[in-house]
Amino acid sequence: MTDLTKMTLAGALDGMAKGEFSSVDLTEAHITACEAATGLNAFITPTFDLARAQAAASDMRRKSGDVGRLEGAPLGMKDLFCTEGVKTTAASKILGDFTPPYESTVSANMKADGMVMLGKLNLDQFAMGSANETSCFGPVINPWRNGEDLVPGGSSGGSASAVAADLCLGATATDTGGSIRQPASFTGTVGIKPTYGRCSRYGIVAFASSLDQAGPIAKTVEDAAILLQSMAGYDAKDSTSLNETVPDWRAACGQSVKGLRVGVPKEYTIDGMPKEIEDLWAEGIEWMRDAGAEIVDVSLPHTKYALPVYYVVAPAEASSNLARYDGMRYGLRVDGENLADTYERTRTEGFGDEVRRRIMIGTYVLSAGYYDAYYLRAQKVRTKIADDFRNAWETCDVLLTPTAPSAAFAVGRKINDPVQMYLNDVFTVTANLAGLPGISVPAALDGSGLPLGLQIIGKALDESTVFTAAGALEKAAGFTAKPSKWWS
Amino acid sequence: MAEPQHGVSSTDVKKIARLARLHVEDSQCGAIAADLNGILAWIEQLAEVDVEGVEPMTSAVAMKAPMRADVVTTGGIRDLILANAPKSDDGFFVVPRSVE
Amino acid sequence: MFIAPRVADKKDWLSGETGDWELIIGLEVHAQIASKSKLFSGASTEFGAAPNTQVALVDAGLPGMLPVVNEFCVEQAVRTGLGLNAQINKFSRFDRKNYFYVDLPQGYQISQFEFPVVGEGEIEITPEDGEPVIVGIERLHLEQDAGKSVHDLSPDETYVDLNRSGVALMEIVSKPDMRSAAEASAYVDALRQIVRALGTCDGDMEKGNLRADVNVSVRRPGGELGTRCEIKNVNSLRFIRQAIHYEARRHIEILEAGGEIDQETRLFDNVKGETRTMRSKEDAHDYRYFPDPDLLPLELTDEFIAKIKADLPELPEARKARFVEQYGVPAYDAGVLTADKATGDYFEALAAGRDAKIASNWMMGELFGALNNAELGLADSPISAEALGGLIDRISDKTISGKIAKDVFGKMLAGEGTADTIIERDGLKQVTDMGAIEGFVDEVIAANPDQVEKAKQNPKLLGFFVGQVMKKSQGKANPKAVNDLLRSKLGL
Ligand SMILES: [Mg+2]
Ligand SMILES: [Zn+2]
C-alpha cells in the first residue's frame, strides 16, 4: 500500500469511497506518523484511542451507506476548540486541566460529517502569538528546516506543522490577526480565514471576539474548501453568525479566472521586506495575468494603521474575554492569603508573559482617561480600513498580496521584541479588521529552501471567488515541495 | 519613534495590574512600563489619522442582534456546571471568602 | 451634570444646628423582568430552585460560551419605557462593565451604558402626605443579574449559586427629583404599580425582584448640590425611608461639624437601621465599559414598537383618573382601588351594573378589613367579586338590610356559600309584608304602655320601639316600614 499519509484529503476521501482502504487503515497510518513526530510538539493532547474508535465507527457507517462530507478522515483540532470530554487548554496553564462538558459548533459539525479526531493541536497561548512560542506546552517546531529549528508561525502553529508534516489530512485553526494564513505561509500549506461570521465562534475559547474566526489549514486549496464547507454554517448560538447558505466551495476551486479583476494594493510593499517576497508577489501577478485575470492597481491608504489598530482592539477585547479565568469556577486556582491574593496568584501563574502583556495593554487602553485616545480612535480607524476595502471593490474582485513579510524564522529570534513579532501579521490583519475572507497559498521556496505563501483577499461572503483565484494560483505555482522527514 | 503622549509610569503599571488582577513585583514595574511604552509608542501613530466624523466600527458584521424566543432550553446540569470547579460543596461553588 | 431646580416644601426641610437642609434623592431601581428564561441564555428564572440547577453554560462563564438576547426581555423593556412615558431608542447596544467578583462568572456584566434602550421619561407620584410630584426618568437599560454569594455555610469561604446569574433586569434610573423619604418611597411604589400593571416585572420586593439603589445628598434649601452617597440594594419601602433618614442625618452631622462627605457606596443594615461603607477606596472601580463584541446592536423597528404600544394596558395613574370620572369615587379611594391591577379589576367587576359607591364601600370596608385580619391578599380572597356583587344585589333589591348583609358577609367569608344560599338557608329575607310588621308593632305597643306615653312626650324614644320590633322580627323587618308604622300608630 502507498503511504497513506501522503494523500490529500480529497484523495483519501476518494480512496475510501472506492474501498481502496478503510478509515481504520488511514487512521493507523496517521497515528504512526504522529507517534514518530513528537519532536515537532504539534500535539498537546493526542486522542489516538478516540480516533481508532471513531475510525472503526466510520467504517461501519460507510458500510451502511451513511457517508458524511469528512467521512473517516483523520484530522487535527486546534486546542482552542472545546471538545466534549477531551481536555481543552488553549495552550495555557490556567486551562491546563480543563475538560469541557460541551462541544464547539465547528467541531460538532465536523463530527457530524464523520471526522476522525487525532488530537488537540498546540498553539500560541490563547492564540496570542505569531510563532507558536507562547504555548505553556513548549514551542511547536516547523517541519521545514534551515539548519536550525524554525517556528511554524502562529498562533495555529500546531495545525500548520501537523499538516505540513503529514501527521493529519487537515486541521482546524483560528485566525484573529493572521493566525491561519501566516503559519500556512511558513509551512507550505493552504490556510483560509473565511468571512467573519461564517464559522460559529460557539465553543471556541475567545481571544478577540470581533476578530476571531475559524478556518482550516490543509494540503491543497480543494482540501481547504472541503474542510471549510464542513466547518461553516449558520449557528443561532452565536449572535454574530451569518445566516447565509454555504455555497459549494469545492466546485469553485477549479473555475477559470478569466476576466477576474485582481487588485494589487501598492501599500503592501513595506520597508525591509525581502526581495524574494517582492519578486514572488510580482510572479504571482504574472501567473494570474497569464491565467486570464485582469490586473488592477488599487490603493488601501490606511493599511499601515492596521497593526496599531489591531494591537488596541485585540488586547482590549482579550483583557475582558480573559477575565473569566479567575480560578473560581474552573481551571487553575492558586490559593492565596485571601480572595484578592488568590485572584492575583491564579492569574499571574496561570497566564504566560505574552498573555499578561496583552491583558495589561487591553486594560490600559480601556481605562478611564485613555478610552477615547486609544480604543475609540482605533475603532474609528478600523472603519476607515474597512472603507478602503469597500473602495477597492469598486475596481477589483479580489486582492493579491504576500501573506507574510518573511519566511519562517529561528525559534527564539523575535520572542523578546513584541513589536517585531507583531509585524508578522502586517499583511493578514487587515482582513480580520474588515471581516473579509483571506487565503494563503504556498507559491515557492525561498533561497534557503523555505516556503513562502501568497494571499488572496476577497469580498465579504465571496469565498467562492477566493477559492477560484487561489486554485488558479496553486495551479500556476505548482508547489509540490515537502520538508525532508528529519524528525523521525 | 516618537515619545508616547501618555507615558505609562510604574504607578500606572501597578494600577493596571490591580484592575486586571495580575500581580507585579515592585522591582518589575519599571521594565513592564518600558515594555508597554514601547508598544504604546508604536500605537501612537493612530493619532495621525483624521477620524473627524467617523463612526467607530464595533463589529465586523453589519447587522442587528438576532433575538431568541423566551423559552427554557437548558438547566438541571449542575454536575456539568460544577465538573471543573476547583472546589464545590453541596451544589455550590466554593471560593475564598469574599467578605470580611 | 444633574441639576435639581425644585426646592422641597418647607415641611420636608431638615433642621440642623446651623440651619435648614434639603434632601436630594435619586433612585436606580433594578426590576427583574418577568421572563421564563434569562436575558442571554435558555436557563429558567424560576425562584427558589436548588443551587446551580438553573445555570446555562454561558451563565457560568465557561470558555467559548456566547450570549444570545431574549426578545421577550427587549419587549418588556420597551413596554416599561412606554409606561414611563419615555423615549424608546430604536438603536441601543450592550456594553461590558468589567470588574471581578466571585458571583460574576464572566468577569464582566453585560449592561447598556452609552446607548440604553429607553431614554428620558417621567411619571407622576403622590407622596402619602403631600401633593403630586413629577419625577423625571433619566433612562432604562437592560442588564444581567449576578449570582448569589452565601457567606454563612462556612466560616472562611463563600458559597456561590449562579441561578440568578444572567437573569434579566431593567435598571430604571430617575433624575434627582425627590426631596423627601416619603417622595422616594412613593416613587418606588408608583414604579412598582406601573411594572405590575404592565406585567413586565412582578414587583415582589421580598424576593428581590425590585430593589433600589438610593442616591442621597443634602444641600441648603435651593443651594449648591452636595456630594452624594449611593446606598445599594435596599429592598423594601420602609427600609428606603429608614435608609434615607439615617443617611441624611449622617450627612448633616458631618457637614455641620465642618467635615466633608466622601462620595461612596454604602450598605443599609436593616437590623440596625444604619448605613455603612461598602467598599474601601483603594478598590475604586474603573469599569472599562466597551461595546460587547459578542453581541450586535439592538435595532428596533417602528412596527416592533407600535405592536407593543397597541397592547399596552391602562396604567394605574390613568385608571385612577377614570375611576374618579366614571364611578364617582373620591380620589383617595380611586388611588387605593387602582393600587394594583387585580384590585382594580376586582372593583370593576364588582361595580359593573351596581351602585359604585356601595361597591367601593363594601370593598374597602368589609372586604379589605376581613382580608387584613386574615392576613390574606386579594388574590386569596374567599369571596369573589361576583359573590360580593350577589350580596350587594340583595341589599339593593331590599331582600336584606345592610345590617343583615354584614352577617351574611361573615358567613360567606367562612365559606358557607353564596349570599342567596345563606339568606335562604337562614331565612334572612327581609319582611316587607305590612300585615306581619303591623302585628309586631301592635304587640310591642301593647306590651309597653308606659313607654308609649313617654314617647308621645319625647319622640326620641321612637328608637326603643324600632329596636323592639326589629328584635321580634329577628332583624328581618324592613326598617323603613317599621318606622313609618310606629310613627303613625304613636301619632308622632
Ligand atoms: Mg447602578
Ligand atoms: Zn445595574
Side-chain angles (χ1 to χ4, degrees):
Chain A
M1 205 180 275
T2 53
D3 184 350
L4 294 177
T5 66
K6 294 274 183 258
M7 306 202 80
T8 62
L9 172 62
L13 291 173
D14 202 37
M16 285 187 284
K18 289 182 180 146
E20 289 167 8
F21 45 84
S22 67
S23 172
V24 168
D25 298 336
L26 195 60
T27 300
E28 286 302 338
H30 281 91
I31 290 172
T32 305
C34 290
E35 282 170 340
T38 50
L40 297 179
N41 200 27
F43 285 89
I44 291 173
T45 307
T47 55
F48 299 151
D49 288 342
L50 173 69
R52 287 184 174 109
Q54 287 177 333
S58 170
D59 286 335
M60 294 291 285
R61 277 198 301 274
R62 187 178 290 279
K63 280 200 187 105
S64 70
D66 179 8
V67 180
R69 203 189 300 275
L70 301 175
E71 196 59 59
L75 304 169
M77 189 68 60
K78 186 177 182 177
D79 202 21
L80 201 62
F81 292 82
C82 289
T83 41
E84 188 176 350
V86 177
K87 215 165 69 162
T88 300
T89 68
S92 70
K93 197 168 163 189
I94 210 155
L95 285 179
D97 263 326
F98 177 69
T99 302
Y102 51 91
E103 188 80 28
S104 79
T105 296
V106 164
S107 54
N109 288 346
M110 296 170 76
K111 266 189 177 173
D113 281 342
M115 160 188 71
V116 170
M117 188 174 85
L118 287 167
K120 304 297 292 287
L121 294 162
N122 206 344
L123 65 149
D124 274 304
Q125 193 173 137
F126 283 102
M128 297 178 189
S130 303
N132 214 128
E133 293 174 292
T134 69
S135 166
C136 83
F137 298 94
V140 175
I141 306 302
N142 195 330
W144 293 87
R145 264 173 86 89
N146 183 7
E148 53 186 338
D149 278 352
L150 303 179
V151 303
S155 65
S156 311
S159 307
S161 204
V163 174
D166 294 327
L167 309 184
C168 53
L169 290 173
T172 60
T174 61
D175 190 316
T176 305
S179 285
I180 290 176
R181 293 158 289 158
Q182 183 253 15
S185 178
F186 278 20
T187 57
T189 55
V190 175
I192 179 166
K193 177 199 92 71
T195 308
Y196 182 86
R198 270 290 192 200
C199 288
S200 170
R201 292 183 298 110
Y202 179 86
I204 301 176
V205 176
F207 163 14
S209 310
S210 79
L211 301 160
D212 294 346
Q213 188 55 203
I217 288 181
K219 296 184 183 182
T220 66
V221 173
E222 185 186 24
D223 284 2
I226 295 168
L227 286 164
L228 186 60
Q229 194 108 25
S230 174
M231 295 168 73
Y234 173 66
D235 181 12
K237 289 186 285 198
D238 174 358
S239 296
T240 61
S241 175
L242 296 169
N243 196 351
E244 301 282 343
T245 49
V246 175
D248 185 353
W249 287 321
R250 194 175 177 180
C253 294
Q255 302 292 311
S256 159
V257 293
K258 218 167 167 59
L260 186 74
R261 299 172 304 165
V262 176
V264 179
K266 63 170 189 269
E267 291 82 4
Y268 280 57
T269 308
I270 59 160
D271 291 346
M273 184 161 78
K275 177 144 192 319
E276 280 174 297
I277 292 177
E278 238 172 285
D279 291 347
L280 177 62
W281 188 16
E283 204 174 353
I285 293 167
E286 284 316 306
W287 292 335
M288 294 308 282
R289 201 195 307 275
D290 291 347
E294 182 192 330
I295 305 300
V296 187
D297 285 329
V298 298
S299 172
L300 301 167
H302 297 90
T303 300
K304 67 178 276 209
Y305 302 110
L307 270 180
V309 165
Y310 176 82
Y311 277 95
V312 172
V313 174
E317 293 182 9
S319 71
S320 176
N321 281 336
L322 271 59
R324 65 189 58 199
Y325 307 111
D326 59 4
M328 298 297 134
R329 294 160 311 282
Y330 53 82
L332 178 76
R333 178 191 291 178
V334 182
D335 287 313
E337 285 165 25
N338 51 37
L339 176 66
D341 195 34
T342 301
Y343 274 135
E344 291 195 1
R345 282 175 193 254
T346 298
R347 290 170 56 80
T348 305
E349 281 187 35
F351 293 135
D353 291 345
E354 182 61 22
V355 174
R356 290 202 309 274
R357 172 186 282 140
R358 296 200 196 186
I359 290 174
M360 293 283 284
I361 297 172
T363 303
Y364 182 70
V365 298
L366 288 176
S367 65
Y370 301 103
Y371 181 88
D372 287 3
Y374 289 109
Y375 185 77
L376 188 62
R377 171 165 284 269
Q379 294 284 47
K380 289 178 176 177
V381 178
R382 186 177 179 185
T383 301
K384 298 198 104 174
I385 289 166
D387 285 344
D388 282 354
F389 281 104
R390 268 188 282 275
N391 292 335
W393 303 137
E394 306 262 311
T395 56
C396 67
D397 304 310
V398 293
L399 297 168
L400 174 63
T401 77
T403 305
S406 77
F409 46 84
V411 172
R413 179 130 66 95
K414 296 188 183 176
I415 189 85
N416 294 318
D417 185 344
V419 173
Q420 276 310 304
M421 185 64 92
Y422 300 166
L423 287 173
N424 269 290
D425 292 332
V426 65
F427 300 138
T428 46
V429 73
T430 52
N432 298 82
L433 292 172
L436 306 176
I439 193 168
S440 178
V441 179
L445 295 180
D446 72 1
S448 56
L450 297 179
L452 294 171
L454 287 174
Q455 176 180 230
I456 300 282
I457 297 173
K459 297 174 192 168
L461 289 170
D462 193 16
E463 287 85 357
S464 292
T465 306
V466 170
F467 277 119
T468 298
L473 206 55
E474 180 184 51
K475 195 170 159 209
F479 183 92
T480 53
K482 290 298 269 184
S484 66
K485 218 170 166 184
W486 56 268
W487 57 87
S488 62
Chain B
M1 239 172 245
E3 273 302 297
Q5 288 166 11
H6 318 279
V8 174
S9 66
S10 291
T11 320
D12 294 334
V13 168
K14 277 274 179 198
K15 202 189 101 193
I16 302 163
R18 172 74 192 135
L19 280 174
R21 294 295 185 275
L22 293 172
H23 178 74
V24 290
E25 292 293 337
D26 290 338
S27 59
Q28 300 172 304
C29 282
I32 294 173
D35 186 33
L36 295 184
N37 280 325
I39 297 165
L40 290 168
W42 174 68
I43 289 170
E44 289 288 330
Q45 56 181 304
L46 295 178
E48 301 163 17
V49 185
D50 179 10
V51 291
E52 188 68 37
V54 177
E55 281 297 312
M57 180 170 170
T58 52
S59 173
V61 284
M63 44 178 222
K64 59 179 181 176
M67 297 197 265
R68 45 169 254 278
D70 183 29
V71 181
V72 175
T73 55
T74 183
I77 50 165
R78 177 162 77 189
D79 291 350
L80 298 186
I81 294 293
L82 296 174
N84 284 280
K87 186 168 181 191
S88 66
D89 180 34
D90 212 13
F92 291 89
F93 291 99
V94 179
V95 304
R97 199 162 178 80
S98 64
V99 290
E100 268 82 64
Chain C
M1 200 59 227
F2 285 132
I3 47 160
R6 184 167 73 92
V7 178
D9 275 1
K10 275 204 172 139
K11 73 169 168 54
D12 292 326
W13 290 3
L14 302 170
S15 54
E17 302 277 317
T18 60
D20 290 328
W21 297 87
E22 182 191 14
L23 258 168
I24 305 289
I25 304 160
L27 286 107
E28 292 164 25
V29 171
H30 285 92
Q32 179 180 329
I33 295 177
S35 59
K36 293 191 193 74
S37 65
K38 295 181 181 180
L39 182 54
F40 297 113
S41 86
S44 169
T45 59
E46 199 81 49
F47 183 78
N52 291 307
T53 55
Q54 294 180 168
V55 184
L57 299 167
V58 68
D59 304 324
L62 283 158
M65 292 299 96
L66 298 171
V68 182
V69 72
N70 181 336
E71 180 166 28
F72 179 81
C73 295
V74 176
E75 281 169 10
Q76 303 320 298
V78 170
R79 208 169 146 81
T80 307
L82 292 169
L84 300 174
N85 310 300
Q87 163 83 33
I88 306 302
N89 294 325
K90 290 206 269 179
F91 176 94
S92 69
R93 198 173 66 194
F94 290 104
D95 298 292
R96 292 186 183 175
K97 178 180 183 180
N98 294 284
Y99 65 97
F100 287 87
Y101 203 68
V102 295
D103 55 20
L104 189 72
Q106 291 156 312
Y108 53 83
Q109 178 195 34
I110 307 178
S111 182
Q112 295 189 300
F113 183 57
E114 205 182 344
F115 299 102
V117 63
V118 175
E120 293 192 335
E122 58 177 43
I123 60 171
E124 186 184 282
I125 62 160
T126 310
E128 213 155 81
D129 55 350
E131 292 297 300
V133 174
I134 300 288
V135 176
I137 303 294
E138 180 68 26
R139 59 188 279 157
L140 175 156
H141 66 253
L142 280 164
E143 63 184 24
Q144 49 177 190
D145 204 350
K148 195 174 83 187
S149 295
V150 182
H151 305 295
D152 55 7
L153 293 176
S154 157
D156 47 1
E157 287 163 313
T158 293
Y159 279 47
V160 179
D161 169 15
L162 298 179
N163 282 350
R164 286 195 72 88
S165 167
V167 164
L169 303 176
M170 298 179 282
E171 180 171 334
I172 304 164
V173 183
S174 82
K175 302 206 169 182
D177 284 353
M178 284 148 281
R179 297 290 177 271
S180 68
E183 287 180 13
S185 104
Y187 166 77
V188 175
D189 195 40
L191 268 190
R192 206 177 77 93
Q193 289 180 29
I194 291 170
V195 294
R196 284 173 60 96
L198 292 166
T200 57
C201 165
D202 73 14
D204 191 332
M205 296 189 83
E206 264 170 47
K207 286 185 188 163
N209 289 346
L210 196 91
R211 44 194 206 259
D213 298 342
V214 189
N215 285 289
V216 178
S217 66
V218 297
R219 67 174 178 185
R220 292 299 185 186
E224 289 267 302
L225 284 179
T227 304
R228 68 192 159 91
C229 288
E230 180 176 11
I231 311 159
K232 281 273 177 204
N233 273 337
V234 194
N235 63 3
S236 89
L237 297 182
R238 188 162 64 89
F239 294 156
I240 289 173
R241 291 191 297 268
Q242 285 179 0
I244 293 171
H245 286 306
Y246 180 88
E247 191 62 12
R249 278 293 153 201
R250 192 180 71 86
H251 283 217
I252 292 169
E253 246 169 63
I254 292 174
L255 293 171
E256 294 196 326
E260 272 180 28
I261 305 296
D262 290 331
Q263 183 166 344
E264 61 175 359
T265 305
R266 299 178 69 84
L267 272 182
F268 180 66
D269 180 331
N270 53 28
V271 178
K272 291 188 188 151
E274 296 171 4
T275 68
R276 58 180 156 80
T277 298
M278 187 171 158
R279 295 190 185 104
S280 61
K281 258 172 271 149
E282 66 131 3
D283 233 20
H285 282 141
D286 179 346
Y287 291 121
R288 291 158 285 137
Y289 282 100
F290 76 107
D292 190 327
D294 285 333
L295 290 161
L296 298 168
L298 287 177
E299 287 174 36
L300 309 180
T301 60
D302 289 323
E303 299 79 69
F304 182 91
I305 298 166
K307 207 170 148 251
I308 296 168
K309 211 174 218 164
D311 70 33
L312 222 51
E314 185 179 35
L315 289 171
E317 208 50 42
R319 196 176 209 188
K320 181 180 162 189
R322 182 167 63 79
F323 277 20
V324 171
E325 166 87 1
Q326 181 181 339
Y327 298 109
V329 293
Y332 174 78
D333 294 12
V336 174
L337 293 172
T338 53
D340 58 60
K341 193 175 174 306
T343 308
D345 290 349
Y346 191 106
F347 173 73
E348 295 214 73
L350 188 62
R354 300 192 177 97
D355 183 319
K357 275 193 189 125
I358 295 178
S360 77
N361 286 341
W362 270 89
M363 199 173 151
M364 294 179 56
E366 297 306 309
L367 182 67
F368 285 178
L371 292 177
N372 234 346
N373 286 339
E375 291 181 3
L376 289 176
L378 186 60
D380 310 311
S381 170
I383 304 177
S384 68
E386 192 197 359
L388 185 55
L391 177 63
I392 293 172
D393 290 343
R394 295 295 82 83
I395 304 167
S396 305
D397 67 14
K398 301 196 164 56
T399 304
I400 52 172
S401 66
K403 191 161 175 296
I404 292 280
K406 289 189 182 174
D407 297 339
V408 176
F409 178 85
K411 290 174 177 168
M412 289 169 74
L413 202 61
E416 294 179 24
T418 63
D420 285 340
T421 335
I422 295 165
I423 292 167
E424 185 67 27
R425 184 194 69 191
D426 297 352
L428 300 176
K429 215 166 169 175
Q430 190 158 250
V431 178
T432 46
D433 170 357
M434 291 306 281
I437 295 174
E438 194 167 2
F440 294 136
V441 168
D442 290 343
E443 276 177 44
V444 169
I445 290 174
N448 297 284
D450 297 353
Q451 297 292 330
V452 171
E453 282 316 305
K454 283 182 188 161
K456 283 180 176 165
Q457 309 304 316
N458 178 8
K460 278 185 184 159
L461 284 176
L462 181 68
F464 163 78
F465 289 94
V466 174
Q468 292 297 308
V469 172
M470 292 307 285
K471 208 170 173 182
K472 271 203 179 304
S473 75
Q474 293 173 299
K476 290 180 284 185
N478 181 312
K480 186 166 184 299
V482 173
N483 250 290
D484 291 350
L485 259 176
L486 277 169
R487 278 181 189 281
S488 81
K489 296 226 174 200
L490 295 173
L492 297 175

